[in-house]
């Protein structure tokens, strides 16, 4: 990314907080999680106050579904009303693939009066996605290229007889063209403002997409954005004129293509047990002549007044715990992003099925850890990226192993706070009463076992072709595979049927039910 060294920046540093993928309203195996969402939003409010954040960017997937519950909507609007009264000058929200574009856009004109800028749908006039955000004194702080999740229909026209490769090429070309057009507009606006104010006005772009080579975890609920997992973009999609690119969609915090200024903030809450070992974060991006030294900032002090959005306190006891920072997850990744496969990282983010051990986030607690970590500072010290650790509001744990190992691990757990647990039995013996034995151990404790995976029983069921599986154990494609097998569909016909079914699923997920 190009940085201006000839023009000065504003005397007071501009501080931007980048977050994404809240998934308000999401459940975990049927378990409601509103207390976690409340606690996170209360923590985020205090973080914005503490670091004197000027602009908040939420890069998509604010809600988990296109028809969010009343309670999820209440959390969203109450948070925005609180933020608008604080130091934060502007909030920029773009839609993700889980969001309803029309639902987010509906109150956009009203929210503008609170300096909340919402872009739910790719604009017919791309210039409408370019926002010049001013300080309270009326001077420009930055230019935002507020690009939401680009749906297939936004960037590509369907043509009969297209192959999968053609679809992918046309889709990527459409995404590139969209970003190229918005870049041209922002750079023209930047040149005009730079000349007028004689200082560098930074450009920040947003996006909700899957970057090629991006790291994911099992059980994170990240959907394919396009049929066949097409549309994975590379870092060169983003113009060098962008000073920073704030991305959403992937739940693992990471940088893209080796670039320190193109980043996913990751989800602030573990969306599944596959993310249980991750330490979550939000990102502070700062521009200025004299950057703040965030290493001197201590842990968030207790608020003088409890910030609430309901009669229930928003910050639980778990929110006060200290958690260590996970190293920048893309430090060791190659900068080449032409691969379309998941890439391993320094930090173990996947369930290790080779070791029969307890995998959790409990043993990672370090009372001496710092809440912030510097990830990047440019050569002339006019820009920096700093991570801020998000506390764990609900502890998750994955336990795997032989029966006795599982029972011993459950018995050894602390019982002074709730822990949600996923158990995976990997032993060779058939244990028909696994659930009963586990329930005896956790009875009369705050431990909650949300999911039990008995691989031996599952394998036996599949081999005997006895249908004892539940829908909770299968996703849509697995159900379809069972149907193909049950109806003895010829192998030669299955690929085309799978592709057609995947298209149907994609249309269901992408159809905006709020639209007229």
């Amino acid at each position: 990314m190009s940085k201006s060294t000839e023009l000065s920046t504003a005397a007071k540093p501009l501080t931007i907080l980048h977050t994404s993928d809240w998934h308000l309203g999401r459940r975990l195996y049927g378990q409601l999680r509103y207390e976690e969402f409340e606690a996170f939003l209360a923590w985020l409010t205090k973080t914005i106050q503490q670091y004197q954040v000027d602009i908040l960017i939420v890069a998509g997937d604010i809600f988990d579904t296109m028809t969010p519950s009343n309670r999820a909507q209440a959390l969203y609007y109450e948070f925005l009303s609180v933020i608008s009264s604080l130091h934060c000058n502007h909030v920029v929200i773009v839609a993700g693939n889980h969001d309803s574009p029309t639902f987010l856009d509906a109150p956009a004109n009203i929210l503008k009066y609170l300096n909340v800028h919402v872009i739910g749908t790719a604009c017919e006039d791309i210039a409408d996605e370019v926002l010049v955000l001013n300080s309270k004194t009326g001077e420009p702080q930055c230019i935002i290229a507020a690009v939401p999740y680009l749906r297939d229909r936004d960037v590509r026209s369907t043509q009969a007889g297209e192959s999968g490769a053609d679809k992918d090429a046309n889709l990527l070309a459409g995404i590139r063209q969209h970003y190229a057009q918005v870049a041209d507009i922002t750079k023209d606006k930047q040149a005009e403002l730079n000349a007028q104010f004689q200082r560098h006005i930074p450009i920040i772009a947003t996006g909700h997409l899957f970057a090629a080579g991006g790291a994911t975890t099992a059980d994170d609920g990240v959907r394919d954005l396009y049929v066949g997992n097409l549309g994975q973009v590379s870092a060169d999609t983003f113009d060098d004129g962008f000073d920073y690119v704030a991305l959403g969609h992937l739940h693992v915090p990471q940088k893209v293509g080796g670039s320190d200024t193109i980043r996913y903030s990751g989800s602030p809450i573990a969306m599944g047990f596959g993310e249980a070992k991750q330490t979550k974060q939000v990102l502070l991006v700062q521009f200025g002549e004299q950057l703040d030294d965030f290493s001197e900032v201590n842990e968030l002090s207790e608020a003088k007044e409890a910030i609430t959005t309901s009669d229930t306190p928003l910050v639980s006891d778990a929110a006060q715990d200290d958690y260590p920072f996970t190293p920048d997850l893309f430090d060791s990744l190659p900068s080449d992003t032409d691969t379309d496969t998941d890439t391993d990282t320094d930090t173990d983010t996947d369930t290790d099925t080779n070791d029969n051990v307890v995998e959790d986030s409990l043993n990672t607690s370090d009372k001496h850890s710092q809440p912030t970590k510097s990830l990047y500072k440019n050569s002339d010290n006019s820009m920096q990226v700093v991570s801020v650790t998000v506390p764990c509001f609900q502890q998750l744990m994955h336990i795997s192993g032989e029966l006795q190992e599982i029972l011993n691990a459950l018995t050894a757990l602390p019982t002074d706070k709730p822990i949600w647990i996923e158990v995976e039995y990997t032993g060779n013996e058939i244990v028909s009463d696994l659930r009963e034995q586990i329930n005896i151990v956790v009875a009369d404790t705050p431990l909650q076992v949300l999911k039990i995976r008995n691989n031996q029983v599952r394998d036996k069921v599949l081999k005997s072709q006895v249908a004892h599986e539940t829908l909770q154990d299968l996703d849509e494609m697995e159900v379809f595979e069972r149907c193909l097998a049950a109806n003895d569909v010829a192998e030669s016909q299955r690929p085309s049927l799978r592709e057609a079914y995947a298209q149907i699923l994609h249309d269901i997920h992408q159809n905006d039910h709020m639209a007229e």
Side-chain angles (χ1 to χ4, degrees), residues 430-445:
I430 300 297
V431 181
S432 59
D433 63 340
L434 177 62
R435 182 174 297 276
E436 289 75 11
Q437 294 197 53
I438 289 174
N439 287 341
I440 290 173
V441 174
V442 300
D444 302 322
T445 73

Side-chain angles (χ1 to χ4, degrees), residues 261-441:
T261 56
I262 309 175
R263 289 183 177 269
Y264 288 95
S265 62
S267 59
I269 293 175
M271 295 300 159
F273 287 97
E275 299 180 40
K277 295 181 68 177
Q278 293 178 24
T279 299
K280 297 299 187 176
Q281 66 176 28
V282 297
L283 296 174
L284 295 176
V285 184
Q286 194 172 65
F287 299 90
E289 292 179 342
Q290 295 181 341
L291 302 177
D292 293 333
D293 183 2
F294 291 110
S295 64
E296 297 179 354
V297 179
N298 295 322
E299 290 280 0
L300 286 171
S301 60
E302 294 184 2
K304 295 180 180 179
E305 295 180 359
I307 301 173
T308 62
T309 60
S310 68
D311 293 334
T312 304
L314 292 186
V315 181
S316 63
D317 292 338
Q320 307 303 326
D321 293 342
D322 300 339
Y323 287 83
F325 181 80
T326 300
D328 193 16
L329 296 178
F330 261 55
D331 278 344
S332 63
L333 288 184
S335 59
D336 181 9
T337 61
D338 291 335
T339 177
D340 62 355
T341 57
D342 293 347
T343 311
D344 292 334
T345 63
D346 289 333
T347 304
D348 183 9
T349 57
D350 290 316
T351 300
D352 185 357
T353 56
N354 295 322
D355 297 325
N356 295 329
V357 294
V358 176
E359 297 179 330
D360 65 285
S361 59
L362 295 178
N363 297 328
T364 61
S365 181
D366 179 2
K367 297 299 181 182
H368 301 289
S369 65
Q370 293 297 318
T372 63
K373 178 183 177 181
S374 176
L375 301 181
Y376 170 74
K377 186 175 288 186
N378 67 355
S379 58
D380 60 357
N381 291 324
S382 63
M383 176 195 175
Q384 66 174 336
V385 180
V386 175
S387 66
V388 182
T389 303
V390 178
C392 176
F393 304 108
Q394 173 60 60
Q395 292 175 330
L396 305 181
M397 173 178 290
H398 177 90
I399 297 176
S400 64
E402 300 277 355
L403 175 61
Q404 197 56 51
E405 291 175 316
I406 292 172
L407 298 180
N408 289 343
L410 289 171
T411 303
L413 290 177
T415 58
D416 58 340
K417 63 179 64 177
I419 304 173
W420 292 353
I421 305 167
E422 179 185 56
V423 172
E424 181 180 12
Y425 173 66
T426 60
N428 294 321
E429 297 181 359
I430 300 297
V431 181
S432 59
D433 63 340
L434 177 62
R435 182 174 297 276
E436 289 75 11
Q437 294 197 53
I438 289 174
N439 287 341
I440 290 173
V441 174

Side-chain angles (χ1 to χ4, degrees), residues 18-23 57-62 94-99 147-150 179 205-211 222-223 225 233 238 244-254 256 262-268 283:
H18 166 204
T19 179
S20 71
D21 296 277
W22 296 354
H23 290 276
I57 295 178
V58 187
D61 282 354
I62 294 85
V94 297
N97 60 303
H98 282 252
D99 298 311
V147 181
Y149 165 52
L150 298 174
Y179 274 99
T206 69
H208 193 90
L209 44 81
F210 199 125
V222 173
R223 296 178 189 155
L225 295 179
V233 305
F238 308 106
Y244 181 77
V245 181
L247 297 178
H249 182 56
L250 299 187
H251 295 175
V252 179
Q254 55 196 275
V256 175
I262 309 175
R263 289 183 177 269
Y264 288 95
S265 62
S267 59
L283 296 174

Side-chain angles (χ1 to χ4, degrees), residues 482-493:
R482 302 294 185 272
C483 292
L484 294 176
N487 290 278
D488 296 323
V489 176
E491 288 292 337
S492 60
Q493 295 178 321

